[in-house]
Amino acid sequence: MSVFTPVPESVLADWLKDYAIGRLVELKGISAGVQNSNFFVTTTLGRYVLTLFEGIPRAELPYYLHLMAHLARHGLPVPGPIANRHNEYLGTLQERPAALVVRLSGSSEMNPGLPHCEKVGAMLAGLHLAGQSYGRRQENPRGAAWRAATAQVVRPFLPADEQALLDAELAFQATIDVAALPAGAIHADLFRDNVLWDTDADGDVRIGGVIDFYFAGYDALLFDVAVTVNDWCSTPDGGLDGARAAALLDAYHAERPFTDAEVAAWPAMLRAAALRFWMSRATDFHLPRAGEMVLVKDPNEYRDILRLRIAGVPPLPR
């Protein structure tokens, strides 16, 4: 999350009159993230997150908001969107599409252990199972077509060895039959900073919230698993921590068993997930957008992860 478009408190206070959530008490920009403008909003009746959508077409936004509402109805710890007095989730603020969601409790864990990975794996499987009954369909906005197109934009900024790596990976990914894999609604960005953790009365950690669904879409479920493993289970040099990966994948497999096709495609999906974030981060790094509070992440992290996934990965559970 970032702030590209500032919102004066007086403007927000007036905008909130169209909602039944009380009067504005505090507005605070959120500096983490890379795509939209985000704020913590506290009112006399509760705590919320306000998002101004900077680049997503307005016609695509109902998919994300209704997906969040759908998953919340199925008992997943997802922030439900707030409807205005016209019963609409999507409004307009500062000439941007805007939405409010409930602010969930907890904080991110950037150094997860085995219990964290196990719970994330089980939760992700539950998200995929609940998503099977979601009636809307919208392709993954960072899917294969986007990756191929973005590669051509980024390629001139890369040194020769990275251009060769990119060209070879695109050629490899073009040989993978993703259509043979189970598909459905995926989060597509389930990084550590998009999961909030609470501690229960017994001292055990539990997931308090899963946030930032604005890269979600319809794609292979295994791609979502690969995105998650690449972030939650990587060592500082980009290699895979076998124990953390096994904890996450075994917990997922217990809820939604992997198919034979998924077992065969696993190395390719880990590579595709690494390619996706190498490309998006390289775009943000070489072609930055102006903003008040903007986070740009290091693209080399996922370049290195891609190289290591090409070298080899542990198999999926069967």
Side-chain angles (χ1 to χ4, degrees), residues 8 10 15 17 40 55 73 77 102 118 135 140-141 162 179-180 202 243 255 261 266 297 302 316:
S10 59
W15 188 74
K17 293 177 182 177
F40 290 135
R73 286 198 303 273
V102 174
E118 181 179 350
N140 178 3
E162 293 184 15
D202 296 325
E255 303 297 328
W266 178 234
K297 297 182 178 180
Y302 271 84
L316 282 180

Side-chain angles (χ1 to χ4, degrees), residues 181-200:
L181 303 176
I186 66 170
H187 184 284
D189 192 27
L190 195 65
F191 277 42
R192 288 162 290 168
D193 56 358
N194 283 332
V195 177
L196 307 178
W197 295 91
D198 268 342
T199 303
D200 63 23

Side-chain angles (χ1 to χ4, degrees), residues 14 17 80 220 231-232 267 293 300:
D14 187 62
K17 293 177 182 177
D231 182 68
W232 285 83
M293 299 167 62
N300 293 339

Side-chain angles (χ1 to χ4, degrees), residues 76 113-129 190 195 197 207 210 224-225 228-229 232-233 244-256 258:
L76 288 157
L114 299 184
H116 299 97
C117 293
E118 181 179 350
K119 288 179 170 61
V120 164
M123 183 281 304
L124 183 59
L127 187 155
H128 289 165
L129 291 170
L190 195 65
V195 177
W197 295 91
I207 296 176
V210 178
D224 212 12
V225 179
T228 307
V229 166
W232 285 83
C233 306
R244 278 188 281 154
L248 193 154
L249 293 170
D250 287 347
Y252 183 99
H253 182 68
E255 303 297 328
R256 190 192 75 82
F258 294 111

Side-chain angles (χ1 to χ4, degrees), residues 27-38:
L27 171 66
K28 182 179 180 182
I30 304 173
S31 60
V34 296
Q35 185 183 29
N36 302 307
S37 295
N38 295 276

Side-chain angles (χ1 to χ4, degrees), residues 6 15 17 20 28-29 34 42 65 79 94 121 123 152 158-161 181 185 190 219 240 258-259 267 276:
W15 188 74
K17 293 177 182 177
K28 182 179 180 182
V34 296
T42 303
L65 297 171
Q94 295 292 84
M123 183 281 304
Q152 301 313 309
L158 304 179
D161 64 321
L181 303 176
L190 195 65
D219 205 341
L240 277 179
F258 294 111
T259 67
R276 176 262 188 263

